[in-house]
mmCIF file of all heavy atoms in Angstrom:
data_model
loop_
_atom_site.group_PDB
_atom_site.id
_atom_site.type_symbol
_atom_site.label_atom_id
_atom_site.label_comp_id
_atom_site.label_asym_id
_atom_site.label_seq_id
_atom_site.Cartn_x
_atom_site.Cartn_y
_atom_site.Cartn_z
ATOM 1 N N GLY B 312 59.404 119.346 112.352
ATOM 2 C CA GLY B 312 59.851 118.540 113.486
ATOM 3 C C GLY B 312 60.596 119.432 114.400
ATOM 4 O O GLY B 312 61.196 120.366 114.108
ATOM 5 N N MET B 313 60.384 119.224 115.696
ATOM 6 C CA MET B 313 60.870 120.103 116.713
ATOM 7 C C MET B 313 61.627 119.348 117.822
ATOM 8 O O MET B 313 61.041 118.203 118.266
ATOM 9 C CB MET B 313 59.845 120.959 117.300
ATOM 10 C CG MET B 313 60.360 122.043 118.274
ATOM 11 S SD MET B 313 59.398 123.506 118.165
ATOM 12 C CE MET B 313 60.314 124.449 119.385
ATOM 13 N N VAL B 314 62.723 119.790 118.169
ATOM 14 C CA VAL B 314 63.507 119.205 119.331
ATOM 15 C C VAL B 314 63.598 120.204 120.463
ATOM 16 O O VAL B 314 63.967 121.369 120.186
ATOM 17 C CB VAL B 314 64.935 118.841 118.894
ATOM 18 C CG1 VAL B 314 65.708 118.165 120.027
ATOM 19 C CG2 VAL B 314 64.874 117.832 117.702
ATOM 20 N N PHE B 315 63.195 119.816 121.601
ATOM 21 C CA PHE B 315 63.095 120.777 122.728
ATOM 22 C C PHE B 315 64.327 120.693 123.642
ATOM 23 O O PHE B 315 65.008 119.751 123.739
ATOM 24 C CB PHE B 315 61.846 120.517 123.547
ATOM 25 C CG PHE B 315 60.487 120.797 122.786
ATOM 26 C CD1 PHE B 315 60.015 119.962 121.903
ATOM 27 C CD2 PHE B 315 59.888 122.076 122.967
ATOM 28 C CE1 PHE B 315 58.854 120.196 121.218
ATOM 29 C CE2 PHE B 315 58.835 122.371 122.296
ATOM 30 C CZ PHE B 315 58.217 121.448 121.390
ATOM 31 N N GLN B 316 64.458 121.728 124.431
ATOM 32 C CA GLN B 316 65.593 121.851 125.413
ATOM 33 C C GLN B 316 65.581 120.732 126.446
ATOM 34 O O GLN B 316 66.499 120.104 126.730
ATOM 35 C CB GLN B 316 65.541 123.163 126.014
ATOM 36 C CG GLN B 316 66.749 123.480 126.885
ATOM 37 C CD GLN B 316 66.606 124.837 127.542
ATOM 38 O OE1 GLN B 316 65.631 125.544 127.374
ATOM 39 N NE2 GLN B 316 67.650 125.281 128.199
ATOM 40 N N ASN B 317 64.332 120.474 126.911
ATOM 41 C CA ASN B 317 64.218 119.382 128.009
ATOM 42 C C ASN B 317 63.831 118.082 127.400
ATOM 43 O O ASN B 317 63.328 117.220 127.985
ATOM 44 C CB ASN B 317 63.218 119.803 129.026
ATOM 45 C CG ASN B 317 61.779 119.891 128.454
ATOM 46 O OD1 ASN B 317 61.660 119.798 127.277
ATOM 47 N ND2 ASN B 317 60.815 120.084 129.325
ATOM 48 N N TYR B 318 64.155 117.909 126.100
ATOM 49 C CA TYR B 318 63.870 116.679 125.249
ATOM 50 C C TYR B 318 62.376 116.349 125.041
ATOM 51 O O TYR B 318 61.973 115.900 123.961
ATOM 52 C CB TYR B 318 64.507 115.459 125.894
ATOM 53 C CG TYR B 318 65.873 115.626 126.587
ATOM 54 C CD1 TYR B 318 66.145 115.161 127.803
ATOM 55 C CD2 TYR B 318 66.898 116.373 125.844
ATOM 56 C CE1 TYR B 318 67.377 115.366 128.356
ATOM 57 C CE2 TYR B 318 68.122 116.639 126.435
ATOM 58 C CZ TYR B 318 68.297 116.102 127.702
ATOM 59 O OH TYR B 318 69.509 116.333 128.299
ATOM 60 N N ALA B 319 61.481 116.604 126.074
ATOM 61 C CA ALA B 319 60.153 116.438 125.975
ATOM 62 C C ALA B 319 59.805 115.018 125.460
ATOM 63 O O ALA B 319 58.860 114.792 124.661
ATOM 64 C CB ALA B 319 59.454 117.526 125.065
ATOM 65 N N LEU B 320 60.493 113.988 125.912
ATOM 66 C CA LEU B 320 60.145 112.604 125.616
ATOM 67 C C LEU B 320 59.025 112.177 126.582
ATOM 68 O O LEU B 320 59.001 112.534 127.644
ATOM 69 C CB LEU B 320 61.338 111.694 125.890
ATOM 70 C CG LEU B 320 62.564 111.885 124.915
ATOM 71 C CD1 LEU B 320 63.630 110.992 125.220
ATOM 72 C CD2 LEU B 320 62.215 111.810 123.409
ATOM 73 N N PHE B 321 58.093 111.561 126.041
ATOM 74 C CA PHE B 321 56.859 111.099 126.692
ATOM 75 C C PHE B 321 57.245 110.004 127.626
ATOM 76 O O PHE B 321 57.605 108.906 127.267
ATOM 77 C CB PHE B 321 55.740 110.761 125.844
ATOM 78 C CG PHE B 321 55.461 111.724 124.745
ATOM 79 C CD1 PHE B 321 55.157 111.313 123.432
ATOM 80 C CD2 PHE B 321 55.462 113.101 125.004
ATOM 81 C CE1 PHE B 321 54.911 112.284 122.449
ATOM 82 C CE2 PHE B 321 55.256 114.078 124.012
ATOM 83 C CZ PHE B 321 54.970 113.598 122.764
ATOM 84 N N PRO B 322 57.234 110.283 129.055
ATOM 85 C CA PRO B 322 57.724 109.304 130.015
ATOM 86 C C PRO B 322 56.994 107.978 130.049
ATOM 87 O O PRO B 322 57.517 106.985 130.532
ATOM 88 C CB PRO B 322 57.704 110.087 131.292
ATOM 89 C CG PRO B 322 56.670 111.132 131.144
ATOM 90 C CD PRO B 322 56.661 111.476 129.690
ATOM 91 N N HIS B 323 55.708 108.028 129.680
ATOM 92 C CA HIS B 323 54.897 106.798 129.723
ATOM 93 C C HIS B 323 55.004 105.935 128.504
ATOM 94 O O HIS B 323 54.341 104.944 128.403
ATOM 95 C CB HIS B 323 53.414 107.166 129.990
ATOM 96 C CG HIS B 323 52.864 108.021 128.894
ATOM 97 N ND1 HIS B 323 53.267 109.304 128.680
ATOM 98 C CD2 HIS B 323 51.894 107.781 127.991
ATOM 99 C CE1 HIS B 323 52.679 109.846 127.690
ATOM 100 N NE2 HIS B 323 51.740 108.955 127.245
ATOM 101 N N MET B 324 55.853 106.259 127.521
ATOM 102 C CA MET B 324 56.008 105.452 126.384
ATOM 103 C C MET B 324 57.457 105.029 126.254
ATOM 104 O O MET B 324 58.357 105.708 126.801
ATOM 105 C CB MET B 324 55.754 106.312 125.090
ATOM 106 C CG MET B 324 54.282 106.776 125.047
ATOM 107 S SD MET B 324 54.111 107.648 123.385
ATOM 108 C CE MET B 324 52.543 108.433 123.666
ATOM 109 N N THR B 325 57.675 103.855 125.662
ATOM 110 C CA THR B 325 59.040 103.430 125.403
ATOM 111 C C THR B 325 59.717 104.282 124.363
ATOM 112 O O THR B 325 59.042 105.087 123.671
ATOM 113 C CB THR B 325 59.078 101.956 124.934
ATOM 114 O OG1 THR B 325 58.387 101.926 123.678
ATOM 115 C CG2 THR B 325 58.336 100.988 125.908
ATOM 116 N N VAL B 326 61.047 104.027 124.180
ATOM 117 C CA VAL B 326 61.705 104.894 123.184
ATOM 118 C C VAL B 326 61.139 104.597 121.782
ATOM 119 O O VAL B 326 60.840 105.566 121.070
ATOM 120 C CB VAL B 326 63.205 104.401 123.144
ATOM 121 C CG1 VAL B 326 63.879 104.943 121.961
ATOM 122 C CG2 VAL B 326 63.938 104.922 124.431
ATOM 123 N N ALA B 327 60.820 103.396 121.497
ATOM 124 C CA ALA B 327 60.282 103.031 120.136
ATOM 125 C C ALA B 327 58.840 103.647 119.999
ATOM 126 O O ALA B 327 58.586 104.205 118.963
ATOM 127 C CB ALA B 327 60.136 101.485 119.966
ATOM 128 N N GLU B 328 58.049 103.711 121.047
ATOM 129 C CA GLU B 328 56.719 104.236 120.983
ATOM 130 C C GLU B 328 56.799 105.760 120.894
ATOM 131 O O GLU B 328 56.029 106.378 120.070
ATOM 132 C CB GLU B 328 55.920 103.935 122.323
ATOM 133 C CG GLU B 328 55.314 102.515 122.272
ATOM 134 C CD GLU B 328 54.922 102.130 123.664
ATOM 135 O OE1 GLU B 328 55.162 102.801 124.631
ATOM 136 O OE2 GLU B 328 54.302 101.016 123.822
ATOM 137 N N ASN B 329 57.831 106.379 121.529
ATOM 138 C CA ASN B 329 57.983 107.837 121.233
ATOM 139 C C ASN B 329 58.403 108.199 119.899
ATOM 140 O O ASN B 329 57.811 109.067 119.366
ATOM 141 C CB ASN B 329 59.240 108.216 122.212
ATOM 142 C CG ASN B 329 58.701 108.885 123.504
ATOM 143 O OD1 ASN B 329 58.201 109.951 123.507
ATOM 144 N ND2 ASN B 329 58.875 108.162 124.632
#
Side-chain angles (χ1 to χ4, degrees):
Chain B
M313 185 148 179
V314 180
F315 290 83
Q316 187 176 5
N317 64 354
Y318 323 132
L320 296 181
F321 308 139
H323 58 292
M324 298 183 192
T325 64
V326 166
E328 283 165 352
N329 261 289

